[in-house]
Amino acid sequence: MWRARQAAVSCEVCQLLVKHSSDIQRNLPLQKLHLVSRSIYCSHHPALKLQRPQLRTSCQQFSSLTNLPLHKLKLSPIKYGYQPRRNFWPARLAARLLKLRYIILGSAVGGGYTAKKTFDEWKDMIPDLSDYKWIVPDFIWEIDEYIDLEKIRKALPSSEDLAKLAPDLDKIAESLNLLKDFFTAGSPGETAFRATDHGSESDKHYRKGLLGELILLQQQIQEHEEEARRAAGQYSTSYAQQKRKVSDKEKIDQLQEELLHTQLKYQRILERLEKENKELRKLVLQKDDKGIHHRKLKKSLIDMYSEVLDVLSDYDASYNTQDHLPRVVVVGDQSAGKTSVLEMIAQARIFPRGSGEMMTRSPVKVTLSEGPHHVALFKDSSREFDLTKEEDLAALRHEIELRMRKNVKEGCTVSPETISLNVKGPGLQRMVLVDLPGVINTVTSGMAPDTKETIFSISKAYMQNPNAIILCIQDGSVDAERSIVTDLVSQMDPHGRRTIFVLTKVDLAEKNVASPSRIQQIIEGKLFPMKALGYFAVVTGKGNSSESIEAIREYEEEFFQNSKLLKTSMLKAHQVTTRNLSLAVSDCFWKMVRESVEQQADSFKATRFNLETEWKNNYPRLRELDRNELFEKAKNEILDEVISLSQVTPKHWEEILQQSLWERVSTHVIENIYLPAAQTMNSGTFNTTVDIKLKQWTDKQLPNKAVEVAWETLQEEFSRFMTEPKGKEHDDIFDKLKEAVKEESIKRHKWNDFAEDSLRVIQHNALEDRSISDKQQWDAAIYFMEEALQARLKDTENAIENMIGPDWKKRWLYWKNRTQEQGVHNETKNELEKMLKCNEEHPAYLASDEITTVRKNLESRGVEVDPSLIKDTWHQVYRRHFLKTALNHCNLCRRGFYYYQRHFIDSELECNDVVLFWRIQRMLAITANTLRQQLTNTEVRRLEKNVKEVLEDFAEDGEKKIKLLTGKRVQLAEDLKKVREIQEKLDAFIEALHQEK
């Protein structure tokens, strides 16, 4: 029984040791311990998964019980009067327990070796993951740069503080030594355990002493536990007090600085990844361009959307409410940095620049899209500008400036006409931006008086689109109260649902503004009545126009990295840099596009249905031809009419040329050649005078007059074919166009310069010929002469009638009277006719004494007359007398061809005037024939060429076509075509948008 009780007591002692030691470890505050302490005391804690470092601590000297100092157990004195019986069972148990350490030590060594061998085998089985290192982000390997482990180590408790929390291991060792002495006391050679079974009282005292020692050991352990709890409480209190000593401001500053550095690190990593992605996409796109994949690339979404906007700009030039498709509208005060922000987004210096001068004179639509090369091109041009070369950048800026000045009409400063520019490049955010002229407060010298109102109207026209994103640019270096654009934006978007506010030149603002909180108020929109969807702050360079985009970006990042605005939390990290701005604007743009594009497509479907219905009701039998198609149809008709000129017969050309030429030169022939020569006394003088005057006329005037007549004849025939109605097929919608083409072609056409020289020789030879070969030619000359003289006589009689007024018959029948001047002319005429009756062969001019005689005769009858009036009246009276005499002489010469062949020998009849008119007639016929040959062989073809050039010029001039092809029919067909085109492009864009989703 005693042995069993002794074994039970020993088991209770072991259980108490295990229980109390585990309780001590369980009650320690795990959160307050160092990493090393956690690995020692809580190696099997489920929440802690750190690697246990191999540390050498002071605990290792207690690895076995044999190293503990030996202290004999103080037992109660034994009474020797009674010897208990010997029992070696406890001794054997203690010996076995002591042997257990060797078993444990051997097992530990063998197990360690086996574990190491197993670990090496498993390690060899694991594949080499060094090739897959790229899967893990770079910042994981650089985590020591983002997390300050030294600060964390300092924040943890020191080893001295941890020592206070640990139990007193020396006291525990003393208790264990006592227990060891107890178990080793009954070993062979000791007399204390050689008692006999008769010592029962000593056995009781022995058990009581043993229990007392165990109770004392338990009390010591409990004291150690209480001491550990008090030390832990004291440590937590002191640690909390030490933490409270650090001010909140230092904590915030430290955390903000660490956050800023971390964000900048992430920013650099993202930029590096984006750069690599950009290069990879560039290589892919270049391979696609070279045809490596042998497939045709589809248009990008942004290119398709830009085409829709281009068609809309042509269709809706006045920017009506029909166009509600989204675009990013960039507005701001003049010199606020709008252009610089756009250049940072486009990553190229593409716009003209000037210090304080208005450079943006018309809206510029910039479509940003992704491509393998950084290039720019205009909508109406195929030339690509390489934005990586400074020469192409300068040429692009010059071209934009030229287009702006071309759009601005005379007397204006700005223009509402839009310049469309596409910019492609790797890594560009896809969006459509419209750069508007800067809003001004005062009209300066050199500007049109309505410049301010025009800029306001253009800005409102773009901003009133409910789906337009307003990018409001505000200069941060000037006072916010001087801004004009914020009031304008707040009127267009009072709730700020589609406005993004951008504060530029923040570096100058931070330097000049005394209170940095004012910048924060500007960013937060507290200084303006406007509201915005987002607020951003950017830096657009140091003010040097020669800065590159990369230099500006580096300066911007460096500024915000050191800026107080971020360190003091006035600005958030996502509110700074143009890169974050471009990302935000692009996201907002595509969100607006996805929300509104289908609604716009439905509205254009309804518009198309209405236009088609109107066309069917008004023009049911006509095809829907727009302005360009109508122009092509008119062009074909005009060219057909020009070709019809070559089908005119030579006879018709010669007849109209001869008649037109005689009408042009008849006055000169009668007045300057025939009448002066007819005043001579004999035929020799007549012929000499005629030859001299004809030669002078041929050398100076006749060829030029002939060419003019031919050119006018060609114009008349061309006009007749152009304006001649074609019956039912005639379409009066082309009349204005045909008239304009005719006038422009005639204006451009010039006769061949060598035509006059060759014509002069031909005319001179024709006039020198005096030989009339037959009677038929003689009769034709007489007929030609009679017609010319009769026409001239008729003109003369009309002139005399106008001079003297109506005769007595008209006065009686038509109740007309003569004026006083006409009465004087009539009296003078009567007096001069009396003089001619007395002398029918009177010369053509009055002598001075004859004028005096006529004046005195009139004065005697009470008529006051001026000598100049007498001369004027004499000119008409004598002219009529001469023409009547010439006509009588012409009748006499009808039978004079026989005398002409005999050179008028033995005859008083002289017909030299008939020979003169025959020479004139023959010259006219030869000249008409020569001009007809020039017309049919050369000039008609040159005119056809000029007409084609004019039509080509008109085809390229849109304003000309709009001006010449007008009417409800044209406008309706034009609107119908545009709406169909817009709807088709919108449907294609929506389909591509859904496919991308």
Side-chain angles (χ1 to χ4, degrees), residues 102-153:
Y102 299 104
I103 297 173
I104 294 173
L105 180 62
S107 300
V109 173
Y113 175 76
T114 304
K116 182 178 182 303
K117 186 175 181 181
T118 305
F119 174 75
D120 293 338
E121 291 177 357
W122 287 2
K123 184 177 180 182
D124 294 338
M125 293 171 62
I126 295 174
D128 188 6
L129 299 178
S130 61
D131 295 337
Y132 302 93
K133 185 179 178 181
W134 59 272
I135 296 176
V136 182
D138 292 343
F139 68 89
I140 296 298
W141 310 110
E142 301 173 359
I143 195 169
D144 56 338
E145 298 182 8
Y146 307 108
I147 301 176
D148 197 345
L149 297 177
E150 185 66 23
K151 291 185 178 180
I152 296 176
R153 188 184 66 78

Side-chain angles (χ1 to χ4, degrees), residues 747-765:
K747 183 179 178 181
R748 295 185 184 185
H749 184 75
K750 292 183 180 180
W751 206 271
N752 193 353
D753 297 334
F754 302 102
E756 291 187 10
D757 298 334
S758 60
L759 194 60
R760 183 179 292 107
V761 175
I762 294 173
Q763 290 171 344
H764 184 71
N765 293 333

Side-chain angles (χ1 to χ4, degrees), residues 464-475:
Q464 70 185 1
N465 178 2
N467 296 322
I469 301 169
I470 304 173
L471 197 63
C472 180
I473 309 297
Q474 170 65 34
D475 189 352

Side-chain angles (χ1 to χ4, degrees), residues 44-321:
H44 301 286
H45 196 279
L48 188 63
K49 297 182 180 180
L50 297 175
Q51 293 184 355
R52 298 175 57 185
Q54 298 179 357
L55 299 177
R56 296 181 179 179
T57 62
S58 59
C59 300
Q60 291 180 351
Q61 57 182 334
F62 305 108
S63 59
S64 66
L65 294 175
T66 56
N67 293 329
L68 293 172
L70 297 177
H71 296 280
K72 294 183 179 180
L73 187 64
K74 296 179 181 181
L75 300 176
S76 302
I78 302 174
K79 295 181 178 181
Y80 295 95
Y82 176 75
Q83 295 290 334
R85 63 183 183 89
R86 295 182 177 179
N87 193 349
F88 298 99
W89 182 84
R92 288 196 300 271
L93 179 61
R96 290 178 182 179
L97 288 175
L98 292 175
K99 291 179 182 179
L100 184 62
R101 60 184 180 181
Y102 299 104
I103 297 173
I104 294 173
L105 180 62
S107 300
V109 173
Y113 175 76
T114 304
K116 182 178 182 303
K117 186 175 181 181
T118 305
F119 174 75
D120 293 338
E121 291 177 357
W122 287 2
K123 184 177 180 182
D124 294 338
M125 293 171 62
I126 295 174
D128 188 6
L129 299 178
S130 61
D131 295 337
Y132 302 93
K133 185 179 178 181
W134 59 272
I135 296 176
V136 182
D138 292 343
F139 68 89
I140 296 298
W141 310 110
E142 301 173 359
I143 195 169
D144 56 338
E145 298 182 8
Y146 307 108
I147 301 176
D148 197 345
L149 297 177
E150 185 66 23
K151 291 185 178 180
I152 296 176
R153 188 184 66 78
K154 292 179 179 179
L156 293 175
S158 61
S159 58
E160 297 177 357
D161 296 333
L162 289 174
K164 295 179 182 179
L165 298 177
D168 192 351
L169 297 178
D170 294 335
K171 294 182 179 180
I172 295 175
E174 292 178 0
S175 300
L176 291 176
N177 287 333
L178 291 175
L179 182 63
K180 179 182 176 184
D181 293 339
F182 169 76
F183 284 113
T184 57
S187 59
E190 294 289 337
T191 59
F193 290 96
R194 294 178 181 178
T196 61
D197 294 337
H198 301 283
S200 58
E201 294 181 0
S202 63
D203 187 17
K204 292 180 181 179
H205 288 290
Y206 173 75
R207 289 198 298 270
K208 289 181 181 179
L210 180 62
L211 289 175
E213 292 294 332
L214 291 175
I215 292 171
L216 180 63
L217 179 62
Q218 184 178 3
Q219 291 177 355
Q220 291 177 354
I221 292 172
Q222 290 178 355
E223 289 177 359
H224 289 313
E225 288 180 359
E226 292 294 332
E227 198 174 320
R229 292 192 187 97
R230 286 195 300 270
Q234 292 177 358
Y235 173 75
S236 61
T237 303
S238 62
Y239 182 74
Q241 292 177 354
Q242 183 180 4
K243 286 293 183 180
R244 279 195 294 271
K245 291 180 181 179
V246 182
S247 64
D248 294 338
K249 184 177 180 181
E250 293 178 356
K251 282 184 180 180
I252 293 173
D253 293 341
Q254 184 178 1
L255 291 174
Q256 285 179 351
E257 187 174 357
E258 291 180 359
L259 178 62
L260 181 60
H261 283 289
T262 304
Q263 288 175 343
L264 292 175
K265 288 283 186 182
Y266 278 121
Q267 189 78 12
R268 293 191 186 96
I269 294 172
L270 288 175
E271 288 180 357
R272 180 169 58 82
L273 294 175
E274 285 182 356
K275 188 175 181 180
E276 294 175 358
N277 185 25
K278 185 190 299 184
E279 294 295 331
L280 292 174
R281 292 183 65 86
K282 182 178 179 180
L283 292 175
V284 171
L285 293 172
Q286 285 177 345
K287 291 180 181 178
D288 290 337
D289 289 343
K290 294 177 181 178
I292 292 178
H293 297 292
H294 301 286
R295 63 182 178 87
K296 184 177 180 181
L297 289 176
K298 295 182 179 180
K299 291 183 179 179
S300 63
L301 277 176
I302 193 64
D303 290 335
M304 297 170 67
Y305 187 75
S306 179
E307 288 181 359
V308 175
L309 295 182
D310 289 337
V311 177
L312 272 174
S313 64
D314 296 337
Y315 167 67
D316 195 11
S318 59
Y319 206 90
N320 296 326
T321 55

Side-chain angles (χ1 to χ4, degrees), residues 739-903:
E739 184 66 23
V741 171
K742 181 195 71 174
E743 293 179 356
E744 185 65 23
S745 301
I746 291 172
K747 183 179 178 181
R748 295 185 184 185
H749 184 75
K750 292 183 180 180
W751 206 271
N752 193 353
D753 297 334
F754 302 102
E756 291 187 10
D757 298 334
S758 60
L759 194 60
R760 183 179 292 107
V761 175
I762 294 173
Q763 290 171 344
H764 184 71
N765 293 333
L767 290 173
E768 284 185 352
D769 188 7
R770 298 185 182 88
S771 59
I772 303 175
S773 59
D774 53 14
K775 183 69 167 57
Q776 186 178 0
Q777 293 181 2
W778 181 269
D779 293 339
I782 291 175
Y783 179 75
F784 175 65
M785 180 179 176
E786 285 181 346
E787 283 187 347
L789 295 177
Q790 286 176 358
R792 193 62 53 183
L793 178 60
K794 185 178 180 180
D795 294 339
T796 303
E797 288 179 348
N798 291 333
I800 293 173
E801 183 179 357
N802 293 331
M803 185 184 296
I804 65 175
D807 57 2
W808 64 271
K809 185 178 181 180
K810 290 183 179 180
R811 290 199 302 270
W812 281 97
L813 293 177
Y814 301 107
W815 295 85
K816 292 182 179 180
N817 296 321
R818 292 174 177 168
T819 62
Q820 184 178 0
E821 184 179 1
Q822 289 176 346
V824 173
H825 278 289
N826 185 47
E827 293 295 334
T828 306
K829 179 187 73 81
N830 294 333
E831 189 68 25
L832 293 174
E833 287 179 348
K834 292 177 183 179
M835 184 184 299
L836 281 175
K837 287 181 180 180
C838 298
N839 185 10
E840 292 185 356
E841 296 181 358
H842 195 283
Y845 302 100
L846 287 174
S848 58
D849 55 345
E850 291 177 336
I851 295 174
T852 303
T853 302
V854 172
R855 184 169 59 82
K856 287 183 179 181
N857 292 337
L858 292 173
E859 288 178 356
S860 65
R861 293 199 299 268
V863 178
E864 295 291 336
V865 65
D866 190 76
S868 60
L869 188 144
I870 297 173
K871 291 180 181 180
D872 294 339
T873 306
W874 166 255
H875 176 72
Q876 298 298 334
V877 172
Y878 180 80
R879 183 185 182 84
R880 183 177 62 176
H881 170 72
F882 174 79
L883 292 174
K884 288 181 179 180
T885 304
L887 284 172
N888 292 332
H889 182 69
C890 185
N891 290 328
L892 294 176
C893 290
R894 288 182 183 276
R895 300 185 301 271
F897 180 69
Y898 173 75
Y899 298 104
Y900 166 74
Q901 289 180 334
R902 298 181 59 183
H903 303 289

Side-chain angles (χ1 to χ4, degrees), residues 340-356:
S340 300
V341 172
L342 259 68
E343 288 180 339
M344 291 293 292
I345 295 175
Q347 300 181 13
R349 308 300 291 266
I350 58 178
F351 292 104
R353 312 188 68 82
S355 57

Side-chain angles (χ1 to χ4, degrees), residues 105 204 219 239 329 387 418 513 545 608 632 673 733 742 872 904 938 982 984:
L105 180 62
K204 292 180 181 179
Q219 291 177 355
Y239 182 74
V329 180
L387 301 183
T418 305
V513 176
S545 59
R608 174 181 176 177
E632 290 298 324
I673 297 177
I733 202 171
K742 181 195 71 174
D872 294 339
F904 300 103
T938 306
I982 293 169
E984 292 174 359

